[in-house]
């Protein structure tokens, strides 16, 4: 049932028209709800702007050669997670695919793509990328914790169920 019209009987059962009874109270409640939503959106926007500024500064330092490769890998890999948190799945996917190109010596691109597709609800594609990650880590077992490999493999099995 929708909102009553101004001249409709008030749904509270008072017998008065809605405009003479609960309309002002409902309008005040709606204004309060909208104000809370506005504050939340402003907070999210401020957080997003701060992340963008942080990422821009990092990119500047990276381009200037002020960071070593491990720092850039960590930042670039974490950028995918930050994009996932803000719901920017297309950008997260593009960034994860860039990891595969920029850092072919690590599994992060595969694992992050698994997270992207998991966030999209595409279990089959997420499992595919996690399997790629496991395969990569098993090929380079001397650089990876066996328990981490097993955890990713377990996630593949959960997604395939």
């Amino acid at each position: 049932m929708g909102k009553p019209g101004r001249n409709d009987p008030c749904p509270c059962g008072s017998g008065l028209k809605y405009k003479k009874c609960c309309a002002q109270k409902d309008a005040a409640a709606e204004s309060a709800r909208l104000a809370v939503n506005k504050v939340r959106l402003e907070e999210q926007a401020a957080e997003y702007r701060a992340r963008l500024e942080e990422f821009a500064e990092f990119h500047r330092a990276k381009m200037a050669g002020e960071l070593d490769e491990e720092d850039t890998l960590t930042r670039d890999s974490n950028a995918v997670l930050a994009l996932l948190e803000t719901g920017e799945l297309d950008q997260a996917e593009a960034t994860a695919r860039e990891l595969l190109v920029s850092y072919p010596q690590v599994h992060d691109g595969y694992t992050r793509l698994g997270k992207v597709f998991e966030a999209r609800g595409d279990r089959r594609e997420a499992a595919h990328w996690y399997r790629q990650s496991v395969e990569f880590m098993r090929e380079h077992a001397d650089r990876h914790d066996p328990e981490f490999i097993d955890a990713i493999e377990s996630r593949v099995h959960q997604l395939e169920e």
Side-chain angles (χ1 to χ4, degrees):
M1 183 174 145
K3 180 180 166 187
R6 288 178 36 82
N7 290 315
D8 291 342
C10 190
C12 76
S14 67
L16 297 172
K17 288 184 178 183
Y18 179 66
K19 67 182 177 186
K20 295 285 186 178
C21 191
C22 292
Q24 286 182 333
K25 175 187 66 132
D26 290 350
E30 179 66 6
S31 291
R33 186 188 68 77
L34 291 173
V36 167
N37 285 344
K38 181 180 178 188
V39 168
R40 282 190 195 132
L41 287 173
E42 288 170 351
E43 289 171 351
Q44 288 172 346
E47 181 180 330
Y48 182 69
R49 280 190 301 275
R51 281 189 183 172
L52 282 177
E53 288 173 18
E54 182 181 319
F55 185 74
E57 174 55 28
F58 173 79
H59 185 70
R60 185 209 56 76
K62 180 179 174 182
M63 293 292 103
E66 297 170 6
L67 302 172
D68 67 24
E69 186 173 350
E70 188 172 320
D71 290 340
T72 60
L73 166 61
T74 299
R75 179 57 67 102
D76 291 349
S77 186
N78 288 341
V80 177
L81 299 177
L83 290 164
L84 287 173
E85 285 179 23
T86 60
E88 297 176 70
L89 302 183
D90 291 340
Q91 185 61 41
E93 180 181 353
T95 304
R97 289 185 187 280
E98 288 174 23
L99 286 175
L100 289 174
V101 173
S102 299
Y103 307 99
Q105 72 280 15
V106 295
H107 67 89
D108 289 50
Y110 301 116
T111 306
R112 296 306 190 229
L113 280 168
K115 287 191 162 295
V116 168
F117 285 98
E118 200 170 349
R120 286 187 172 141
D122 187 340
R123 298 169 66 93
R124 185 187 61 76
E125 193 68 13
H128 163 76
W129 288 108
Y130 285 137
R131 271 194 305 279
Q132 294 289 105
S133 182
V134 167
E135 183 179 312
F136 179 91
M137 288 187 284
R138 291 211 188 281
E139 288 174 8
H140 305 91
D142 58 314
R143 298 188 328 220
H144 297 92
D145 179 4
E147 289 181 14
F148 182 69
I149 297 171
D150 291 344
I152 299 294
E153 200 163 47
S154 174
R155 188 68 192 131
V156 170
H157 295 305
Q158 291 172 352
L159 290 165
E160 291 177 332
E161 289 178 353

